[in-house]
Amino acid sequence: MALYGRKLWEAMSSHWPTADQQPGATQAEIEYARRWRDMPKVVFSSTTSTVDWNTRLVTGDAVTEITRLKTEDAGPMDIGGATLAGAAMRAGLIDEYMLVTVPVLVGGGTPFFTALDSWVNLNLVETRTFPGGVVLTRYETRR
């Protein structure tokens, strides 16, 4: 299941539903587009009124809904969008962090790691390097 804030949802839903049909789509893009369409998704927004592509809209408190999903053992959940991820992080709801570093400095945007009340200690689980210098690091939250 993927959890999105409104801005990231708008970006993802404008590209991935038809990404596998675009000229020059790579095999990885084709596979991810199919996976994305089939994946259950939840969008948290007070301004969006409709969603599609196997998606449910939540207009209430995100932390309350994520807590409910974890209690019901909804399975693994990916959280995307800096504001949504930051709220889940401050509430202690994230079990694992998967960070993808792309070798581009943008110099702006909404920070994922805003001020916290206390440190979040992590254990390194995995590191992968991809062509073009992209690096994935995966950490579990040390509780």
Side-chain angles (χ1 to χ4, degrees), residues 12 28 47 55 117:
M12 296 293 281
T47 58
T55 305
D117 295 331

PDB file of all heavy atoms in Angstrom, residues 12 28 47 55 117:
ATOM      1  N   MET A  12       2.361  11.751  -9.224  1.00  0.00           N
ATOM      2  CA  MET A  12       2.365  10.325  -9.556  1.00  0.00           C
ATOM      3  C   MET A  12       1.193   9.978 -10.482  1.00  0.00           C
ATOM      4  O   MET A  12       1.369   9.263 -11.462  1.00  0.00           O
ATOM      5  CB  MET A  12       2.286   9.476  -8.277  1.00  0.00           C
ATOM      6  CG  MET A  12       3.474   9.628  -7.350  1.00  0.00           C
ATOM      7  SD  MET A  12       5.008   8.991  -8.031  1.00  0.00           S
ATOM      8  CE  MET A  12       4.785   7.242  -7.760  1.00  0.00           C
ATOM      9  N   ALA A  28      11.876  -1.301 -16.793  1.00  0.00           N
ATOM     10  CA  ALA A  28      11.637  -0.944 -15.391  1.00  0.00           C
ATOM     11  C   ALA A  28      10.437  -0.005 -15.264  1.00  0.00           C
ATOM     12  O   ALA A  28       9.617  -0.163 -14.350  1.00  0.00           O
ATOM     13  CB  ALA A  28      12.889  -0.300 -14.790  1.00  0.00           C
ATOM     14  N   THR A  47      -8.112  19.141   0.177  1.00  0.00           N
ATOM     15  CA  THR A  47      -8.495  19.947  -0.983  1.00  0.00           C
ATOM     16  C   THR A  47      -8.858  19.118  -2.208  1.00  0.00           C
ATOM     17  O   THR A  47      -9.571  19.604  -3.074  1.00  0.00           O
ATOM     18  CB  THR A  47      -7.366  20.934  -1.357  1.00  0.00           C
ATOM     19  OG1 THR A  47      -6.172  20.202  -1.627  1.00  0.00           O
ATOM     20  CG2 THR A  47      -7.120  21.926  -0.229  1.00  0.00           C
ATOM     21  N   THR A  55      -7.395   3.896  -5.555  1.00  0.00           N
ATOM     22  CA  THR A  55      -7.002   4.838  -4.506  1.00  0.00           C
ATOM     23  C   THR A  55      -8.195   5.237  -3.659  1.00  0.00           C
ATOM     24  O   THR A  55      -9.301   5.391  -4.151  1.00  0.00           O
ATOM     25  CB  THR A  55      -6.392   6.105  -5.149  1.00  0.00           C
ATOM     26  OG1 THR A  55      -5.315   5.700  -5.997  1.00  0.00           O
ATOM     27  CG2 THR A  55      -5.872   7.068  -4.113  1.00  0.00           C
ATOM     28  N   ASP A 117      11.313  16.201  18.154  1.00  0.00           N
ATOM     29  CA  ASP A 117      11.396  16.336  19.601  1.00  0.00           C
ATOM     30  C   ASP A 117      12.535  15.501  20.170  1.00  0.00           C
ATOM     31  O   ASP A 117      13.081  15.823  21.215  1.00  0.00           O
ATOM     32  CB  ASP A 117      10.074  15.908  20.252  1.00  0.00           C
ATOM     33  CG  ASP A 117       8.928  16.832  19.867  1.00  0.00           C
ATOM     34  OD1 ASP A 117       9.177  18.028  19.599  1.00  0.00           O
ATOM     35  OD2 ASP A 117       7.784  16.346  19.822  1.00  0.00           O
TER      36      ASP A 117
END
